[in-house]
Amino acid sequence: MVFRDRELVDVSAYFAQVDIKTELTLCARYERAVFEMLLEHIEQQNQPLPNVQPSDIDEVVKFDRIRGWVNELESAGQLIRGAKIQAWLILEKCW
């Protein structure tokens, strides 16, 4: 799955408000950023995602969206380690 401009937000108005001058004005939404990290570490490197657990970010990240993208890639035969990515997305809170 190639995202291209999908799930990117133009933050140029925010940068202008806080007087930040940069040519880079697109930012990945949380879900895209997490998905790309999962693809990089789990799918491509076959390594666990370092220093981040789902419970660290579950208040701001919609994991169902990421699960949907994983399902799409699995259905298309484009993921080798989709089950490992899905396993990471399971929220387990320890109290």
Side-chain angles (χ1 to χ4, degrees):
M1 171 182 285
V2 178
F3 277 105
R4 292 191 169 72
D5 290 341
R6 187 171 147 186
E7 299 298 317
L8 293 179
V9 178
D10 185 346
V11 293
S12 57
Y14 170 75
F15 284 170
Q17 286 179 343
V18 294
D19 201 29
I20 295 175
K21 308 235 186 302
T22 181
E23 291 183 26
L24 178 64
T25 60
L26 295 178
C27 179
R29 293 186 186 274
Y30 293 136
E31 292 79 14
R32 177 178 173 159
V34 171
F35 183 64
E36 288 186 5
M37 288 190 307
L38 292 169
L39 286 179
E40 172 69 25
H41 289 280
I42 296 174
E43 179 67 17
Q44 295 175 2
Q45 297 177 14
N46 196 22
Q47 298 290 322
L49 190 63
N51 303 319
V52 179
Q53 297 300 316
S55 59
D56 296 336
I57 57 177
D58 67 333
E59 291 182 9
V60 294
V61 176
K62 296 175 181 128
F63 290 109
D64 286 342
R65 296 190 75 195
I66 299 170
R67 285 185 194 96
W69 299 332
V70 172
N71 289 336
E72 282 180 43
L73 288 175
E74 283 183 308
S75 295
Q78 296 178 355
L79 278 183
I80 297 168
R81 298 179 183 88
K84 285 186 177 183
I85 294 173
Q86 294 284 16
W88 187 90
L89 292 167
I90 295 172
L91 297 175
E92 290 186 27
K93 293 192 177 205
C94 298
W95 302 100

